[in-house]
Amino acid sequence: MNSGTRSLRGGVRVAVLALLWGSTFLWIELALRGLSPLQVTFVRCLLGALVLTVACYASGRRLPRGRTVWRHIAVAAFFCNALPFALFSLGQQTVDSGLAGVLNATTPLWSIALGLALGSERALRPVRLTGLLLGFAGTILILAPWQSAGATGWGALAILGAAASYAVAFTYMGRTLVRRGTPTISLSAAQLVAASGLTAVALPVGGLESIDPGPVVVVAALVLSVFCTAITFHLTYRIINDEGATNAAVVGYLLPVVSVLLGAVVLGEGLSARVVLGMAVVLVGVGMTRRKDPTNTATATAPARTSETQAQAEAEAQAEAQAQEAAQESHASHRAGTRIPRHEIHTRHGIGLPGRLRKL
């Protein structure tokens, strides 16, 4: 595949992800007409997990094994799925879908603030520090705490909490799950399975109310679960894995625009000039925080050989993990008195198959 085709595919992925992710807030708004916030969260996690688990096994993969990896998955599922999904649903009881998408765009700002607090982010250059301050200033402009009719209140704070939770999740996932040899489809499926379990535990608290499953609510719940949760979540993993976090970050600029347009066109939501100005300030601030350090320019523009070498190393690590899993299965079959042909074990785990056939 040439670079032009690869770039086109990457651009299509980003555009689809922005459309799906940006429409999430619209479908939450519609689903809340017949479901409680916790019910919306549970349904999107459960159906999303079902879709990705079926896709995982249909592709010849399986869910990860081992207590250590599942502990990491459980933590990531709480901060990346269960908690923010619930906070978005709670917040949108009083906050319009368009404004929810705008507040969600503050996630990169929380990521930098978290990095500074943990020491993983070095001292910011003036332009990035200015962007950080500008982004939070835009958020305050949107909330307008000095006005009685401002967007302050528990709903807006809940959505800001969801955006901050995403920042915690992305940092944790980058350190413990991403690029560890586990296929992205297996990670995304397992994470939504864990999120379903976490949400189910909380159902007695606020998820047992009667429901009103009208046609709009059912369609909204299905679209939210299948497209805006399962497909979106897996696409995010794939973009980060295949094209890097920079391309994935582009979605953050498009998402609030999509959410605002859909809210205005479909739901008839209005936006004041103050909110529009605040959104522009937030996006400018986020863009300034994404500015690269000039000293790292050479690293960022290194030859493609570097990425190819990294991809090869990841493929070797994944193949080694599959080989170990196949050996364990073969040993278990001998102990059980049965014998699985070696070629069948290899085919089941993708060993010896071309990379294109192994990769989903």
Side-chain angles (χ1 to χ4, degrees):
M1 184 185 301
N2 57 46
S3 58
T5 304
R6 187 181 297 111
S7 177
L8 178 61
R9 288 186 59 182
V12 170
R13 281 181 182 175
V14 169
V16 171
L17 182 57
L19 179 61
L20 293 179
W21 201 349
S23 68
T24 296
F25 309 99
L26 166 66
W27 300 114
I28 291 176
E29 190 86 11
L30 295 175
L32 285 173
R33 294 180 179 180
L35 301 173
S36 71
L38 201 53
Q39 288 170 346
V40 172
T41 303
F42 178 68
V43 168
R44 67 182 296 193
C45 286
L46 182 64
L47 294 183
L50 178 62
V51 170
L52 287 184
T53 300
V54 170
C56 177
Y57 281 93
S59 65
R61 305 294 190 185
R62 60 177 57 190
L63 297 180
R65 294 181 176 181
R67 293 182 179 179
T68 300
V69 66
W70 272 100
R71 280 198 296 267
H72 292 316
I73 288 174
V75 174
F78 177 77
F79 286 106
C80 189
N81 306 110
L83 179 60
F85 288 179
L87 289 176
F88 278 125
S89 297
L90 285 169
Q92 283 194 237
Q93 290 183 308
T94 58
V95 175
D96 289 342
S97 64
L99 180 56
V102 173
L103 294 176
N104 182 65
T106 62
T107 295
L109 306 177
W110 294 110
S111 296
I112 294 178
L114 180 63
L116 290 173
L118 297 178
S120 58
E121 183 80 37
R122 297 181 178 179
L124 297 181
R125 293 185 298 113
V127 64
R128 297 191 69 203
L129 178 59
T130 302
L132 180 63
L133 298 177
L134 196 61
F136 282 117
T139 303
I140 294 175
L141 182 60
I142 292 172
L143 298 179
W146 58 85
Q147 292 184 1
S148 59
T152 54
W154 64 266
L157 294 178
I159 293 175
L160 285 176
S165 183
Y166 275 146
V168 173
F170 295 157
T171 300
Y172 185 83
M173 291 160 63
R175 292 185 175 187
T176 61
L177 292 173
V178 178
R179 300 187 184 278
R180 303 283 175 170
T182 304
T184 55
I185 185 66
S186 300
L187 282 177
S188 52
Q191 198 162 312
L192 283 182
V193 168
S196 300
L198 292 172
T199 309
V201 172
L203 278 178
V205 177
L208 301 181
E209 296 95 335
S210 60
I211 63 175
D212 181 17
V216 173
V217 173
V218 172
V219 171
L222 288 175
V223 174
L224 178 64
S225 303
V226 176
F227 294 96
C228 301
T229 301
I231 295 178
T232 296
F233 191 44
H234 181 57
L235 271 180
T236 302
Y237 259 119
R238 285 298 304 270
I239 289 176
I240 293 176
N241 186 74
D242 294 348
E243 285 122 30
T246 301
N247 283 339
V250 175
V251 179
Y253 302 97
L254 302 176
L255 186 153
V257 177
V258 173
S259 68
V260 167
L261 290 177
L262 289 177
V265 173
V266 180
L267 300 177
E269 297 174 351
L271 283 177
S272 66
R274 188 196 72 253
V275 172
V276 174
L277 178 60
M279 177 178 68
V281 172
V282 167
L283 294 180
V284 170
V286 170
M288 293 175 68
T289 63
R290 301 299 301 177
R291 290 284 296 274
K292 297 293 184 181
D293 190 334
T295 59
N296 294 330
T297 303
T299 302
T301 58
R305 187 182 309 166
T306 302
S307 58
E308 292 176 358
T309 303
Q310 184 178 5
Q312 182 179 358
E314 293 171 6
E316 292 175 353
Q318 181 176 329
E320 182 179 354
Q322 291 172 338
Q324 291 177 355
E325 186 176 344
Q328 292 174 359
E329 183 173 340
S330 178
H331 180 66
S333 67
H334 280 295
R335 291 184 60 184
T338 61
R339 180 179 179 83
I340 301 177
R342 183 179 300 273
H343 73 276
E344 182 178 338
I345 295 176
H346 285 194
T347 302
R348 188 179 303 176
H349 295 278
I351 301 173
L353 297 178
R356 289 187 177 179
L357 296 181
R358 292 201 310 266
K359 184 176 180 182
L360 177 63

